[in-house]
Structure formats: structure tokens, C-alpha cells
Amino acid sequence: DAGVTQSPTHLIKTRGQQVTLRCSPKSGHDTVSWYQQALGQGPQFIFQYYEEEERQRGNFPDRFSGHQFPNYSSELNVNALLLGDSALYLCASSFRGRVNEQFFGPGTRLTVL
Amino acid sequence: AQTVTQSQPEMSVQEAETVTLSCTYDTSESNYYLFWYKQPPSRQMILVIRQEAYKQQNATENRFSVNFQKAAKSFSLKISDSQLGDTAMYFCALARSQGGSEKLVFGKGTKLTVNP
């Protein structure tokens, strides 16, 4: 049984570019949450997708957007990249948004130059 | 607003000894979950232990146990018989337990090093 998978593992972009990160949830899960973890910090909640809709959003600008597909996989898009967007982006999946049964992926390390 | 504070940026312990990591939190909710996550250098966030606020009994998972003091809003993690593989960042996290779509609120973490 595959757990949560994310791609790519690492990514280097320059300021002003756009990036798309991908996440496939654990088998049987239908909810995907995205977190941003800056260096030396704890993860911060970006948003959550369930039934192909954004259900909850953290304190992130509109440059951060997402999508969920019918197979429950999800994408995180960031436009007009800033140096401060450099971070580890974590995806977590669960069934019906149950936070006590949430599993994390290995993350995507984004570096903005 | 919910907040989580971990006041120990770094800790170290000798192999086979016991170490306690501290966490305090603030929430106005009556029903919530508390978690300890481990993040080794591989970056994968792994759930170590969780506690439901309405349960008075402290959670235990093998060598890991918590001391949950609800009135003091304190949630410490005790690791017994520390092993080299316990070396990692440890994050305390909080989430409401009502309904779905609940987010985790994390502390800044404690870097634990287990020395041989």
C-alpha cells in the first residue's frame, strides 16, 4: 500500500516564475492538505481540498492556489515566486479530513533564487 | 486563535537514557487533539503519539509517553530508553476535533540528538 507521494523531490526556480507541486494521497484517503515549512520552523497550513473544493485556507496570499482531481490527487500552484517562498512543501492526506488520522508525504524542497 | 509553543530549540541525551520534551499550547476549544510528530533528516513527518483532550489518561506508545496537563495547557513527550534512531526534529501540534477539515497548528520544533 503506497503512502502519500509527492513530486518532484527538489525544485529550483527564479523569482517571478510559477511552480506546480503534486501530491497523491494514501490509498483510501479523499482529503489533501498542504503545508509550508520554512527552514527552522514548524509547518504552516496553506489549504485543504476535499471533494475537489478548497474547504479551508490558512493565511497565505492568492498567489498560492490549488486543485484536486477526481482521483483525489492534488496540485499546489505558486505564482510570481518570491525568495521567501523557498521552503519544504508538505502534503498530508486523510479520510474525510480526519486530522487524527493524517499521513504526510516526504515533501518537495523548493528553492527560489 | 490556537498557538503551540516549544521552548527548547535543541536537546541532547545519551543512548538508553530518558528525555522529556516540553510543549505548551493555547486554545479556546473544549474538544481538541494534541500530537507529537517526528521529522528525521529524511524530512518525512511521522506521527509519534496523539492525545484526545477529553481523555484524562495519558497516551503511551511503546517507549513514548505523554504528560497531558489540561488545566496548565501542557503536553510533554517522554522518550524512554533513547535510541540513535530517535535523533530528529520533534514537533508538537494541535487541532480541533469537531467536524472535518481541521488543520494542524505546529510549534517551532525541538531538535533532539541522541549520542552514543
Side-chain angles (χ1 to χ4, degrees), chain A residues 51-71:
Chain A
E51 291 187 333
E52 301 181 48
E53 291 186 1
E54 182 181 294
R55 292 297 175 125
Q56 192 176 4
R57 188 178 183 92
N59 188 25
F60 279 79
D62 292 344
R63 298 186 298 107
F64 289 77
S65 63
H67 187 77
Q68 186 178 37
F69 299 93
N71 67 351

Side-chain angles (χ1 to χ4, degrees), chain B residues 46-57:
Chain B
I46 302 164
L47 178 64
V48 174
I49 197 165
R50 64 172 171 245
Q51 174 82 39
E52 297 177 69
Y54 72 88
K55 292 185 176 179
Q56 292 188 343
Q57 186 172 7

Side-chain angles (χ1 to χ4, degrees), chain B residues 102-116:
Chain B
E102 301 306 336
K103 65 179 182 181
L104 287 164
V105 176
F106 287 87
K108 291 187 175 182
T110 296
K111 182 179 181 181
L112 176 67
T113 302
V114 180
N115 299 307

Side-chain angles (χ1 to χ4, degrees), chain A residues 37 48 56 100 104 107, chain B residues 39 43-44 50 91 101 104:
Chain A
Q37 186 178 14
Q48 183 184 82
Q56 192 176 4
N100 61 328
F104 281 84
Chain B
Q39 188 177 42
R43 311 181 318 201
Q44 185 98 34
R50 64 172 171 245
F91 292 95
S101 304
L104 287 164

